[in-house]
Amino acid sequence: MSLRKLIGVIHPRTAVVLHDLSMAALAWWVAKALRYALIDNASINFHTLEFPLVLLVQGAVLSWTGLYKGVWRFASLPDLWNILRAAVLGALAIAAALMLYNRLEDVPRSVLLLYPVVLAVLLGAPRLAYRFWKDSRLDLFQAKPMQRVLIVGADRAGEALSRDLNRDNGYTVVGFVDDKESLRGASINGRPVIGRIEQIPELSREVAAQMLLIAMPGASTQEMRRVVELCDQSGLPYRTVPKLEDVVSGRAQFNEIKEVAIEDLLGRDTVELDWTAIRVTLTGRRVLVTGGGGSIGSELCRQVARLGAQALCVVDNCEFNLYRISQELRAEYPELIYEAILADCGDPAAMRKLFGEYKPQVVFHAAAYKHVPMLQGQLRAAFRNNVLATRNVADLADRHGVEGFVLISTDKAVNPTSVMGACKRIAEIWCQNLNERSSTHFITVRFGNVLDSAGSVVPLFRQQIRNGGPVTITHPEISRYFMTIPEACQLILQAASIGRGGEIFALDMGEPVKIRDLAEQMIRLAGRKPGTEIPIVYTGLRPGEKLFEELFHPLENYIETTHAKIFLAQYRPVKWDQLNAQLAKAADAVVAYDEDALRQCVSHLLPSFRWTETPQPGNVVALRRSESGEK
């Protein structure tokens, strides 16, 4: 049996106690030996119960001071303070015990002064030596080779990461790179800052690094793109730490090492929010979220629960999605009054019962079908779910005096060229017009694609890359707006807090991203080469698909709001009688499964909408007439 295995047989706490008691006995002997060494021909005398009393009393004091709650691996100033307290209090307690035993016979007073000094050294030195041994990798039994790591970023995050890595036997930090001139030539935790970030490819070779770790949680998207590009040039694998907002929101742990995700490169800079206004809207309120098991709906549920809603009711017609979000919310927020309802928002009886029993004060309507190509040939399903179900929930919100109703819409509702976009635009029209006749504030929020949502292009590309390709893109020039799911939901909540009813808010989606660039970056993040190791295939635009998306109709004349990332589209009224008549016909057509009649209703409500079975080459949105019939 090796020495390491032999040591491993003893329980760590037992080994620490035995060590400390041995040190206490040795300290008592050394203190007496030092005292009597000053006297010629003097002999040291120990009484029968002297050592047992010293060990018993000192052991009790050590346990009482909490010294055994600490771990030698992380010994620090609090542990040294406990050692000093234990040594001084132990000396006093031993003096009292020996006074009762033999009136301190053969125990000079100077021994009681020397003992705590010697004991503090004997207890503290091994602990600090052990920590230094582990942090410095002076492990004689270490057989596994360590990976040489170069840290990008020498700020607080980089320093903390290096300390964590020093405690891990799998890594050794060879240095830092950082652009700050003040750090040039500095040393952090014994490791040098060897150059600037732009020198990553050369420096990583010079120090024989095997991995790059990006410790820049506060970096902007542009900075991250630059750093990742340089890491790509080095040819080494690289990882990063989570962003600050992910740590604060509880979605990640500080200094948790993770792969660089596409969200890190396509996301935007941190959005400043008026959390006070958002909390006023939600705290202590009864909130209903439809489609609460989906990508957007589930994140809305998390944030609503985090902001202190009194009660949360979640509706979804997918049993698994509802089960998943329910398990998460009940575990994370046990004090929240929570109800999970498995129902279709287009079921009048189910929704009437829900509104009657739970009496929501704020409604977020996220339930919708969203897959453009699939819905292009499924008009009845799209209209029933995206229009009639929205009307059902909105009417019940009006009837039950709900304070605020937020419709989650899409940029595809602007100049719609798809069935999905057309149905969402009609849902917007209903909510806008209903707001004029209701005490409920009906608000619409539009935004584009969200990264990694269910059914979106990101998980599709990820799966295709995992399978070795090819990655399929409809058109080389197609582009889309992207934002992260948490950011989209936060801006939805912010829009709900500033809305007064009837508004169409459009979220600032930043710059559009070419899908080709997105695919190439995801391939590179996977450690492969786009076009060679993973081929890219262009399949052609699908029916109803645009080359690019718009957030506003030309006639909406959008204006700024109090929030820099939220814009307001001006209201375009539709005659209420005409709207009711067409939706009544459409509802009858849905019941009769008469898609021809349904098409006529949609065309009547959206005169500019064109029914295209196949996209025109090069430009699906060449025909751009307004909904009022303008050519």
Side-chain angles (χ1 to χ4, degrees):
M1 180 182 290
S2 67
L3 178 58
R4 168 162 283 197
K5 291 182 178 179
L6 181 63
I7 296 174
V9 172
I10 305 174
H11 191 280
R13 288 281 183 250
T14 303
V16 171
V17 171
L18 291 175
H19 167 272
D20 289 353
L21 291 178
S22 300
M23 293 300 103
L26 179 60
W28 187 256
W29 181 85
V30 169
K32 269 198 165 184
L34 289 174
R35 168 64 179 80
Y36 283 102
L38 301 176
I39 303 174
D40 294 334
N41 299 323
S43 61
I44 306 175
N45 295 319
F46 293 99
H47 291 270
T48 305
L49 296 180
E50 186 173 339
F51 271 108
L53 279 173
V54 168
L55 297 182
L56 179 64
V57 172
Q58 188 62 65
V61 172
L62 288 171
S63 178
W64 177 76
T65 55
L67 187 62
Y68 299 129
K69 294 179 182 178
V71 179
W72 281 33
R73 177 69 185 83
F74 307 107
S76 57
L77 288 178
D79 297 287
L80 294 180
W81 169 243
N82 283 334
I83 288 173
L84 290 174
R85 285 198 308 150
V88 174
L89 294 176
L92 296 175
I94 289 170
L98 292 178
M99 175 66 74
L100 295 175
Y101 170 59
N102 61 2
R103 302 186 64 80
L104 290 174
E105 186 178 346
D106 293 324
V107 180
R109 305 301 181 267
S110 55
V111 171
L112 297 176
L113 296 177
L114 290 171
Y115 168 74
V117 177
V118 177
L119 180 62
V121 173
L122 293 178
L123 293 181
R127 284 170 164 81
L128 295 178
Y130 181 79
R131 175 168 180 172
F132 176 78
W133 173 44
K134 297 295 287 186
D135 286 351
S136 302
R137 297 297 195 278
L138 301 176
D139 191 346
L140 302 178
F141 304 102
Q142 179 68 35
K144 183 177 71 173
M146 291 179 291
Q147 197 166 22
R148 296 172 63 83
V149 170
L150 180 64
I151 297 180
V152 182
D155 212 334
R156 294 177 61 183
E159 188 273 336
L161 180 60
S162 71
R163 278 191 283 108
D164 289 346
L165 292 175
N166 282 336
R167 301 186 187 115
D168 192 316
N169 289 333
Y171 302 94
T172 181
V173 177
V174 296
F176 298 82
V177 291
D178 199 289
D179 283 341
K180 289 183 180 177
E181 291 295 334
S182 59
L183 292 174
R184 200 72 65 243
S187 178
I188 299 174
N189 292 334
R191 301 294 185 266
V193 179
I194 59 177
R196 297 186 302 276
I197 290 177
E198 64 185 25
Q199 298 174 295
I200 286 175
E202 312 91 75
L203 294 176
S204 60
R205 288 191 292 269
E206 290 179 11
V207 299
Q210 297 169 293
M211 177 180 283
L212 303 172
L213 291 181
I214 305 170
M216 302 171 63
S220 66
T221 301
Q222 289 73 20
E223 290 172 332
M224 276 298 293
R225 289 176 185 169
R226 169 179 169 249
V227 170
V228 167
E229 184 178 351
L230 291 167
C231 291
D232 277 329
Q233 293 175 17
S234 74
L236 296 176
Y238 51 89
R239 300 290 185 270
T240 188
V241 296
K243 293 184 176 181
L244 292 177
E245 56 264 32
D246 292 335
V247 175
V248 172
S249 63
R251 293 189 297 270
Q253 298 294 322
F254 186 67
N255 281 346
E256 170 189 339
I257 299 175
K258 69 181 189 73
E259 292 187 355
V260 178
I262 194 64
E263 291 89 341
D264 298 320
L265 306 182
L266 293 185
R268 284 102 54 75
D269 297 339
T270 304
V271 177
E272 296 296 330
L273 299 172
D274 184 357
W275 287 110
T276 301
I278 295 175
R279 287 191 177 91
V280 168
T281 305
L282 295 175
T283 302
R285 304 299 179 90
R286 298 182 300 276
V287 180
L288 167 65
V289 179
T290 67
S295 303
I296 293 293
S298 60
E299 181 62 23
L300 276 173
C301 291
R302 295 182 192 99
Q303 296 196 23
V304 166
R306 193 177 298 128
L307 288 166
Q310 175 193 342
L312 175 61
C313 182
V314 178
V315 178
D316 205 292
N317 63 0
C318 176
E319 181 186 30
F320 175 72
N321 285 350
L322 187 63
Y323 166 78
R324 184 174 55 185
I325 189 62
S326 298
Q327 291 294 101
E328 179 183 339
L329 292 175
R330 284 178 173 138
E332 293 291 328
Y333 307 98
E335 74 288 351
L336 177 68
I337 301 173
Y338 175 80
E339 291 292 339
I341 306 297
L342 184 63
D344 181 351
C345 291
D347 182 347
M351 300 309 292
R352 275 197 307 270
K353 186 174 188 300
L354 184 153
F355 273 85
E357 288 187 0
Y358 300 111
K359 296 178 172 54
Q361 296 168 288
V362 181
V363 176
F364 292 94
H365 183 54
Y369 289 150
K370 304 178 180 69
H371 199 275
V372 172
M374 182 175 291
L375 295 181
Q376 197 64 17
Q378 309 267 356
L379 174 60
R380 178 183 181 273
F383 197 95
R384 179 182 177 276
N385 197 58
N386 290 5
V387 179
L388 297 182
T390 299
R391 184 182 68 163
N392 183 45
V393 179
D395 288 351
L396 286 167
D398 169 48
R399 198 172 306 148
H400 287 268
V402 171
E403 297 173 13
F405 180 99
V406 181
L407 171 65
I408 311 302
S409 189
T410 170
D411 54 4
K412 295 172 179 62
V414 183
N415 283 329
T417 60
S418 66
V419 166
M420 192 278 269
C423 291
K424 292 298 285 185
R425 176 59 192 141
I426 295 172
E428 289 183 359
I429 292 172
W430 180 261
C431 291
Q432 283 179 295
N433 282 268
L434 185 58
N435 182 78
E436 298 293 313
R437 295 156 180 83
S438 173
S439 60
T440 300
H441 299 310
F442 287 90
I443 300 164
T444 297
V445 181
R446 287 178 188 160
F447 54 92
N449 296 25
V450 288
L451 289 168
D452 224 10
S453 63
S456 71
V457 70
V458 171
L460 172 63
F461 284 175
R462 190 176 290 125
Q463 182 63 44
Q464 290 176 335
I465 294 168
R466 192 179 298 120
N467 294 338
V471 171
T472 56
I473 303 174
T474 57
H475 193 282
E477 298 302 317
I478 194 169
S479 64
R480 289 292 182 266
Y481 293 102
F482 286 99
M483 65 168 43
T484 63
I485 293 175
E487 180 189 5
C489 292
Q490 288 168 4
L491 288 173
I492 289 169
L493 297 178
Q494 186 73 81
S497 71
I498 64 179
R500 294 297 175 261
E503 300 98 339
I504 294 182
F505 290 112
L507 305 186
D508 176 10
M509 300 294 296
E511 295 298 320
V513 176
K514 282 192 174 182
I515 301 300
R516 177 185 60 192
D517 296 340
L518 170 67
E520 291 176 350
Q521 186 63 65
M522 290 186 65
I523 293 171
R524 282 191 288 267
L525 287 178
R528 315 289 286 277
K529 294 180 179 179
T532 53
E533 295 182 342
I534 302 290
I536 296 176
V537 175
Y538 299 102
T539 59
L541 288 171
R542 298 169 293 188
E545 190 170 41
K546 296 181 180 182
L547 273 179
F548 60 90
E549 298 292 357
E550 306 158 280
L551 291 176
F552 295 99
H553 190 278
L555 298 182
E556 288 178 334
N557 298 323
Y558 72 91
I559 59 176
E560 295 182 350
T561 67
T562 56
H563 195 280
K565 297 289 186 180
I566 301 174
F567 297 95
L568 174 62
Q570 291 185 357
Y571 171 62
R572 289 180 293 154
V574 176
K575 291 182 180 179
W576 180 248
D577 292 339
Q578 176 190 351
L579 181 59
N580 269 290
Q582 291 300 323
L583 284 185
K585 290 180 182 179
D588 292 339
V590 166
V591 172
Y593 217 118
D594 186 349
E595 292 206 336
D596 289 334
L598 199 53
R599 282 190 182 92
Q600 293 176 9
C601 294
V602 173
S603 296
H604 217 88
L605 290 168
L606 304 176
S608 69
F609 181 66
R610 295 291 175 170
W611 300 92
T612 55
E613 296 302 328
T614 57
Q616 300 175 7
N619 189 5
V620 178
V621 291
L623 181 61
R624 293 160 106 28
R625 294 194 302 168
S626 72
E627 292 175 13
S628 62
E630 179 183 350
K631 294 184 179 180

